[in-house]
Amino acid sequence: MTLTFSDALCTLEPHVNALYSIPLKAWDRYHDGISNDFRVVFCKRTRASAVHDLMLKEAAGYANDKDDVRWFESDKLYGLVIEERVAIRLKKLNSKKLPSNHRTKQVIDYRSQRHIDGIDAIHHLELGYTLDLLEKNIAKVYLVYPSGMQINVWEVELKRDKVLPVESIFSNREDDEIKPAIIKPRPLGIILPFSKVEREGSANVKNDNDKN
């Protein structure tokens, strides 16, 4: 069963500010707690790993303070479960709002909305951040609902005290009408026009072949 954002918000609304703050606090702790002499020699992967660990620490502290939030650990997956309904994993996201990580069976199962012992939540979400163009600061904080390794059913940007409009793979539909996408093969015999870029690319290839 697909989780609509309106249903998710019924569970998550009391926690939106805390979720929004987790990556911001972790980012600040990284920069405040590690001297510049060390940070300048760290690669981007080292920085992302350090911020990730600090996000987990912030999230675990929040779980300790809330009766309806618990911390989960399951075969190197860590995060929060809210009201025994929604699990939230914490990650750095790329420009497509997807995490970069090893495709372990556990990660595939999590993003594919399959049951995982030790998490035991109905739905799996991911809380993550993106960086600005120079990768000097956090640009945005997102909550995403994944469906497989390369697809998010919906994505929302979190702000303090509010959530921005939903970005969904289902266009021109109300949030409560979202249904799983069905991919069908293209019917035979249909000619699809090339875009201008494709036509120009084809022409360049033909010219190169003529020269050879």
Side-chain angles (χ1 to χ4, degrees):
M1 179 180 177
T2 302
L3 176 69
T4 65
F5 176 69
S6 58
D7 284 341
L9 191 58
C10 290
T11 301
L12 300 177
E13 189 169 16
H15 308 281
V16 166
N17 282 345
L19 295 175
Y20 169 71
S21 297
I22 285 173
L24 300 179
K25 288 180 178 179
W27 184 265
D28 288 344
R29 288 188 65 182
Y30 169 80
H31 286 85
D32 294 342
I34 300 177
S35 72
N36 188 60
D37 291 339
F38 285 100
R39 283 191 279 111
V40 294
V41 298
F42 285 171
C43 67
K44 294 177 182 179
R45 184 175 60 182
T46 300
R47 179 181 65 184
S49 295
V51 173
H52 175 257
D53 289 348
L54 291 169
M55 287 173 68
L56 296 183
K57 182 176 178 60
E58 291 290 336
Y62 183 68
N64 287 335
D65 293 336
K66 296 294 180 179
D67 293 335
D68 58 345
V69 181
R70 66 173 169 86
W71 176 253
F72 76 75
E73 297 183 19
S74 179
D75 193 18
K76 298 183 180 179
L77 283 186
Y78 308 94
L80 302 172
V81 175
I82 298 178
E83 293 186 3
E84 300 301 326
R85 186 165 182 257
V86 175
I88 301 177
R89 192 169 73 120
L90 302 102
K91 298 295 293 183
K92 177 181 180 292
L93 304 177
N94 61 24
S95 59
K96 296 180 180 179
K97 305 179 190 72
L98 297 171
S100 299
N101 50 295
H102 300 296
R103 295 194 177 196
T104 64
K105 181 181 183 303
Q106 193 86 332
V107 170
I108 293 172
D109 286 346
Y110 186 93
R111 285 191 55 87
S112 299
Q113 303 298 325
R114 298 171 188 152
H115 176 82
I116 299 176
D117 290 337
I119 297 178
D120 302 315
I122 302 172
H123 303 286
H124 301 158
L125 305 183
E126 289 176 334
L127 173 71
Y129 66 93
T130 60
L131 298 178
D132 60 22
L133 291 177
L134 297 178
E135 297 197 349
K136 297 295 185 182
N137 294 289
I138 289 179
K140 294 181 179 181
V141 176
Y142 288 98
L143 192 67
V144 305
Y145 179 49
S147 179
M149 293 302 294
Q150 298 298 321
I151 297 174
N152 294 326
V153 177
W154 50 254
E155 304 154 349
V156 292
E157 182 185 352
L158 301 185
K159 293 280 191 179
R160 185 167 299 283
D161 296 320
K162 65 179 179 180
V163 178
L164 297 189
V166 178
E167 296 178 36
S168 171
I169 62 172
F170 304 101
S171 61
N172 301 320
R173 306 183 99 179
E174 293 296 327
D175 185 58
D176 287 334
E177 294 178 347
I178 290 177
K179 297 180 181 179
I182 299 176
I183 309 300
K184 296 182 179 179
R186 182 183 300 133
L188 297 177
I190 295 179
I191 300 175
L192 299 178
F194 286 100
S195 67
K196 180 179 178 182
V197 173
E198 290 173 322
R199 289 199 301 271
E200 291 175 351
S202 299
N204 292 336
V205 172
K206 184 177 185 302
N207 292 336
D208 291 341
N209 290 336
D210 291 342
K211 293 177 183 178
N212 294 334

